Amino acid sequence: MAEASQPAVVAKAADPFNREETLTADTFLRGLWQENPVFVMLLGMCPVLAVTNSAINALGMGLATTFVLIGSGALVSLLRRWIPKQVRIASYIVIIATFVTVVDYAIHAISLELYASLGAFIQLIVVNCIILGRAEAYASKQRLVPTLVNGLGMGLGFTLALFSLGSVREILGNGTLFGVTLFGDSFQPWLVMILPPGGFFVLGAWLLLFAWLKQRRERRVLASAGAAAHG
Amino acid sequence: MSATLPVQTGTSAPALSPSPMPGHEYEQAPEQAVNQGANQAANRTRTPTTEQASARITARATEPAVEQAPATPSLAMLLTLGLIAAISGLLVATAYEYTAPIIAEKERLATEAAVLRILPGAVAKRDFVIDAAGRLAPVDPASGGANGSAAGGGGLVYAGYDAQGRLQGLAFTGVGSGYSGPVEVLFAYDPERQLIVRSKVLKSTETPGFGDKLDTDPAFLKNLEALDARLDATGQALANPIVTVKNGTKTQPWQIDAITGATLSSRAMGKAANQAAQRAAPAIQRSLTLLAQPSN
């Protein structure tokens, strides 16, 4: 306890450990692409597979998660100097749970149907590892504005991923998008797509596409490097 | 065990310089972690009291030069957690205060829309509860929300009236357990002919493409257009309990012909209809005069 009385100047001097990053476009874009929580980091698979059986569910879940990411990130970032490291996880969980409860009420007030179809998965945002991961790895070390921007990027990246699953599953499994019928009566919906296995199929197909794109890019980089070396 | 760690890694011990604020102490951690990962991890998981105790032990066991990362005072932790809990309580309470009336209004409108849709011709509805004597008692519209929730979801009986105040029919909900959870259904009841004349699934988690035929399959819905719900001689229960039978074997008006491939969901519909009619039909028949009074 005696250490607490030491002057704060020492703390200032110790600031080379400061890892605050400056705000760049990358702060935002990282979550959308290079560090996309679903397609690159494979985080939060439970809601990704469970609530993406229609485009509107996917969008609702994604936006709810984005709100929680931004809100909890902001509060964690603002309080980062005062949260002792021993109780930081407990603090983050309380903060995250607060925003999840708020978003739960909000969705209930906005649309009863969406609330009913998302069911328990709204409350389960609390245990979504993306959010705790962002709080621990980013918000607890960064200033407010980068945290907000990064949270928005990550949230939109998550929403984008959910939407790309949800829209494909709804189109194939129900012949509709946002409830609007796309095909004639002759279209036989692939029911399996809106059942749980369909989630795995569509996720697998997207991951395959992204892996293929990444490999192709790497091969091109290699090829051009080789050409430059020989030239 | 953890108390002796700083001694064993004595060469890197000076890196553990005391830092005055908990936040800064944490920010330094990863740099130290490069050469002192194990030591740091041990520090992180230790509670303040053991940390202080181990600091004393370390000081006694080795030279006083070995310094220990300072413990965060318990008071600071309590204050932080208290502050966070207060902020969070405030946010949740604000959100609840703001959304509760909207949610209640939306739910009321949704119920009303469902009741009026299932009772064609009705333009107004009145809510009733089944009291202890097994009769219907009107729900005061002013305290309707409170009473409705007290009655426990499926407890209410809704009466639909046309513009002239004539009774158009009654609606009540029933629940039956299906393939993957409870199926909640709203039924329309014709008190004169004692028939269930329509149904609408309110809540269901049945398999899409199979179980949701409960609400869409025309052949199945025909079962529920004139489903016998007559009372027995005592007026306490249905003369013939409503049951779901195997596809194509329906012979009686109180039977429901199951959908092929969705037998369990069809049975849920039968259970819901039976449960709802057993509960509501006797009370409705006892209270016909009350129901016949035009709404005011």
Side-chain angles (χ1 to χ4, degrees), chain B residues 37-155:
Chain B
N39 193 6
Q40 197 62 30
N43 278 343
R44 216 173 272 167
T45 50
R46 227 179 283 150
T47 61
T49 35
T50 51
E51 201 162 314
Q52 280 161 2
S54 62
R56 274 200 299 278
I57 296 167
T58 317
R60 237 183 292 137
T62 64
E63 315 96 273
V66 178
E67 282 174 303
Q68 188 76 25
T72 309
S74 311
L75 190 65
M77 288 191 228
L78 285 175
L79 280 178
T80 315
L81 284 178
L83 175 76
I84 290 170
I87 295 175
S88 121
L90 191 73
L91 278 172
V92 169
T94 314
Y96 179 77
E97 280 299 312
Y98 185 70
T99 53
I102 306 176
I103 294 171
E105 178 67 9
K106 283 228 174 184
E107 278 184 342
R108 195 186 62 77
L109 285 179
T111 318
E112 186 167 301
V115 169
L116 294 186
R117 209 180 309 128
I118 206 171
L119 299 171
V123 292
K125 81 169 171 71
R126 281 161 75 195
D127 301 350
F128 295 91
V129 289
I130 299 169
D131 63 16
R135 293 175 159 278
L136 294 184
V139 175
D140 181 16
S143 63
N147 270 348
S149 55

Side-chain angles (χ1 to χ4, degrees), chain A residues 137-153:
Chain A
Y138 199 93
S140 64
K141 304 188 183 91
Q142 307 291 347
R143 278 171 299 117
L144 178 62
V145 176
T147 304
L148 291 177
V149 173
N150 185 268
L152 183 70

Side-chain angles (χ1 to χ4, degrees), chain A residues 1 3-4 6-8 10-11 14-15 17-19 75 79-88 90-91 94-95 98-99 101-102 105-106 108-112 136 140-141 191 194-195, chain B residues 18-28 30-31 43-44 46 51-52 70-73 76-77 80-81 83-85 87-88 91-92 95-96 99 102-103 106-107 110 207-210:
Chain A
M1 289 212 182
E3 289 91 336
Q6 278 194 359
V10 180
D15 252 8
F17 306 113
N18 189 343
R19 273 158 295 115
L75 209 50
L79 295 173
R80 69 189 189 280
R81 304 257 165 200
W82 290 282
I83 297 178
K85 69 175 162 64
Q86 291 93 335
V87 293
R88 68 187 194 286
S91 312
V94 171
I95 290 172
T98 306
F99 283 96
T101 313
V102 170
Y105 288 141
H108 201 168
I110 291 167
S111 163
L112 288 179
E136 169 80 359
S140 64
K141 304 188 183 91
L191 271 179
I194 47 175
L195 300 180
Chain B
S19 59
M21 286 165 70
H24 288 279
E25 178 193 1
Y26 173 51
E27 288 194 344
Q28 288 178 11
E31 218 231 17
N43 278 343
R44 216 173 272 167
R46 227 179 283 150
E51 201 162 314
Q52 280 161 2
T72 309
M77 288 191 228
T80 315
L81 284 178
L83 175 76
I84 290 170
I87 295 175
S88 121
L91 278 172
V92 169
Y96 179 77
T99 53
I102 306 176
I103 294 171
K106 283 228 174 184
E107 278 184 342
T207 321
F210 296 94

Side-chain angles (χ1 to χ4, degrees), chain A residues 36-171:
Chain A
N36 185 295
V38 175
F39 291 138
V40 178
M41 299 200 282
L42 292 179
L43 288 176
M45 284 298 112
C46 180
V48 167
L49 295 168
V51 299
T52 55
N53 52 9
S54 76
I56 187 73
N57 282 2
L59 215 54
M61 186 68 195
L63 292 180
T65 311
T66 306
F67 173 82
V68 175
L69 259 173
I70 295 175
S72 62
L75 209 50
V76 167
S77 172
L78 285 175
L79 295 173
R80 69 189 189 280
R81 304 257 165 200
W82 290 282
I83 297 178
K85 69 175 162 64
Q86 291 93 335
V87 293
R88 68 187 194 286
I89 299 292
S91 312
Y92 299 162
I93 293 285
V94 171
I95 290 172
I96 293 166
T98 306
F99 283 96
V100 170
T101 313
V102 170
V103 87
D104 184 63
Y105 288 141
I107 291 183
H108 201 168
I110 291 167
S111 163
L112 288 179
E113 291 108 62
L114 185 62
Y115 186 75
S117 62
L118 289 180
F121 287 98
I122 303 173
Q123 285 96 319
L124 285 175
I125 297 176
V126 173
V127 289
N128 190 324
C129 40
I130 299 166
I131 294 168
L132 189 59
R134 281 292 95 190
E136 169 80 359
Y138 199 93
S140 64
K141 304 188 183 91
Q142 307 291 347
R143 278 171 299 117
L144 178 62
V145 176
T147 304
L148 291 177
V149 173
N150 185 268
L152 183 70
M154 280 285 164
L156 290 183
F158 187 64
T159 309
L160 187 78
L162 286 189
F163 182 72
S164 42
L165 258 81
S167 51
V168 169
R169 288 179 70 186
E170 190 181 341
I171 290 170

